[in-house]
């Protein structure tokens, strides 16, 4: 039970409890019935991390896992998952980013 909720047993019926603050229960039930909010952004850290990895390693997840900026010591699978989350969240931004990388490579050669 949460803080602020006083529950007492009335002694006569073991297991049966009397709720002293019903508004707390009502509020909790109301909050539980609300639709879950989906966060509509990713953290700046995650975005920068994913972009850095793609920029430096393309799609070589094993290399990414060995990169010194892999502070979280993610495995190749975890890195791939993070990149996919980014792709799904910002498909347009991802396409533009990859296209800009291809453009840079062509200019360098």
């Amino acid at each position: 039970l949460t803080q602020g909720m006083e529950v007492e047993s009335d002694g006569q019926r073991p297991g049966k409890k009397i709720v002293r603050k019903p508004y707390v229960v009502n509020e909790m039930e109301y909050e539980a019935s609300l639709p879950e909010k989906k966060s509509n952004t990713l953290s700046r850290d995650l975005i920068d991390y994913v972009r850095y990895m793609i920029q430096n390693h393309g799609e070589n997840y094993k290399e990414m896992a060995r990169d010194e900026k892999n502070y979280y010591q993610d495995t190749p699978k975890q890195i791939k998952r993070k990149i996919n989350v980014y792709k799904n969240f910002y498909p347009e931004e991802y396409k533009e980013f990859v296209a800009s990388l291809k453009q840079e490579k062509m200019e360098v050669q």
Side-chain angles (χ1 to χ4, degrees), residues 5-78:
M5 196 165 170
E6 296 173 19
V7 178
E8 294 175 13
S9 177
D10 66 358
Q12 295 170 335
R13 291 166 286 180
K16 181 77 177 148
K17 301 204 183 301
I18 301 168
V19 177
R20 292 279 178 194
K21 295 185 177 179
Y23 61 89
V24 174
V25 174
N26 294 341
E27 196 174 311
M28 289 171 70
E29 286 174 348
Y30 170 72
E31 284 177 16
S33 72
L34 293 174
E36 201 173 309
K37 287 183 191 155
K38 296 247 189 275
S39 70
N40 54 359
T41 59
L42 295 178
S43 75
R44 191 73 242 170
D45 284 348
L46 179 68
I47 293 169
D48 291 343
Y49 173 81
V50 165
R51 290 176 140 231
Y52 168 84
M53 290 299 186
I54 294 170
Q55 193 167 3
N56 289 293
H57 305 292
E59 291 189 1
N60 187 335
Y61 303 111
K62 284 183 180 173
E63 258 183 48
M64 290 178 193
R66 290 190 201 107
D67 192 291
E68 62 186 22
K69 290 216 175 168
N70 181 9
Y71 304 123
Y72 309 110
Q73 298 184 336
D74 290 329
T75 64
K77 269 187 172 176
Q78 289 171 313

